[in-house]
Amino acid sequence: MTMSDTTEPTAILAAGTPCWIELATPDEDVARAYYEQLFGWTFAVNRDPATVNHRYNIATLDGWEVGGMYQAGRNQPTGWVPHLAVSNAAATAEWVQHLGGVVTLGPVDIPGRGAIVHALDPSGAPVVFWQLTDSWTFARTLPGSFSGADLGTHDAGRADDFYDKLFGYASHQVGTDGIDYLEWRLGAEPVIYRYVLPPEQAGYSPHWMVYLQVDPHRGTDAVAGQSLMLGGSVITPPFDTPFGRIAVLADPGGAVFSVVDHSCPVDLGVGRAEVDDPYDD
């Protein structure tokens, strides 16, 4: 039985579908300036009872909402985390705990935007679940908007069991040559990916890698170079993959994310996946 078996059948988006991305940052003003210049995002501030300063920044691009940002409190984790759609936040919180996860916040009602649950999955990775309202929008096709997300974990068994039981994902192994890289699908549609961190990354905490699209006329290399000029870092220089040209970047607050230009995929043969050595430098 999956969680969706016990909830309403009228969900706005299929449960388990990425529906938002969110940045917890140690310096809200610095992060805003960085992403405004790197991607052309503009920000509007909403009131949010769940954040330390009761502020929540919604980023837009050409009028479309692309993600959120908030000031992390002292001792709170920072970084990018995707939201996964659910049809009932309260039921999700119960299922998270039943399946071995930990609810760290919520359910919390956000005025005009539904309800959220922050959690740690059983492998230790943070994740947010969002019960959407009719006002939900999320750009996924514009340069500078969401392209995909990988869950990096040390415990494939616990992660797979948790998300499969929560959402009924079908799994398809796309990693080769010793890379354990699963594509999670809803029906025939891939929705998200799971990556087993290699032994040399044993010191890294379980985390999500969020991918943002690059304008092909600009290119991944130019975006990586601009990140450096804006006070960010290039964790992994641009490299070619069957998914396109990718670079792993970090903003001035240390939040790691990837950019990808899907217009130039390269057939590298067996053994390369989108997540090959994402933290190698």
Side-chain angles (χ1 to χ4, degrees), residues 49-137:
T51 66
V52 170
N53 59 4
H54 305 296
R55 291 161 49 96
Y56 189 83
N57 299 268
I58 296 179
T60 61
L61 184 63
D62 296 336
W64 295 94
E65 294 185 353
V66 293
M69 177 192 303
Y70 66 93
Q71 181 88 32
R74 186 177 298 177
N75 299 323
Q76 282 187 318
T78 59
W80 282 103
V81 176
H83 289 206
L84 304 179
V86 298
S87 54
N88 186 310
T92 300
E94 293 179 3
W95 270 89
V96 165
Q97 296 175 91
H98 176 72
L99 296 172
V102 177
V103 173
T104 57
L105 176 69
V108 175
D109 292 324
I110 307 298
R113 294 183 70 84
I116 59 168
V117 175
H118 287 240
L120 295 175
D121 71 29
S123 77
V127 62
V128 181
F129 304 104
W130 186 6
Q131 180 181 329
L132 304 169
T133 66
D134 290 337
S135 64
W136 168 80
T137 61

Side-chain angles (χ1 to χ4, degrees), residues 203-229:
Y204 288 104
S205 299
H207 60 270
W208 292 90
M209 177 67 77
V210 167
Y211 291 79
L212 300 172
Q213 299 181 64
V214 167
D215 186 338
H217 295 98
R218 188 176 175 202
T220 298
D221 296 68
V223 173
Q226 187 180 11
S227 177
L228 288 172
M229 295 174 62

Side-chain angles (χ1 to χ4, degrees), residues 221-246:
D221 296 68
V223 173
Q226 187 180 11
S227 177
L228 288 172
M229 295 174 62
L230 295 173
S233 305
V234 176
I235 306 299
T236 304
F239 61 100
D240 295 317
T241 80
F243 298 89
R245 189 159 175 81
I246 293 173

Side-chain angles (χ1 to χ4, degrees), residues 115-214:
I116 59 168
V117 175
H118 287 240
L120 295 175
D121 71 29
S123 77
V127 62
V128 181
F129 304 104
W130 186 6
Q131 180 181 329
L132 304 169
T133 66
D134 290 337
S135 64
W136 168 80
T137 61
F138 182 45
R140 296 187 56 147
T141 58
L142 296 174
S145 70
F146 177 75
S147 174
D150 299 335
L151 170 63
T153 179
H154 299 289
D155 194 334
R158 298 189 75 185
D160 294 348
D161 182 70
F162 177 78
Y163 290 100
D164 177 54
K165 287 180 177 175
L166 202 58
F167 297 124
Y169 287 145
S171 299
H172 176 64
Q173 182 65 242
V174 295
T176 57
D177 198 26
I179 299 171
D180 189 350
Y181 186 39
L182 277 188
E183 180 180 80
W184 283 335
R185 299 175 176 178
L186 289 173
E189 291 296 319
V191 292
I192 212 158
Y193 294 82
R194 190 273 291 146
Y195 173 55
V196 174
L197 298 169
E200 58 268 25
Q201 294 178 17
Y204 288 104
S205 299
H207 60 270
W208 292 90
M209 177 67 77
V210 167
Y211 291 79
L212 300 172
Q213 299 181 64
V214 167

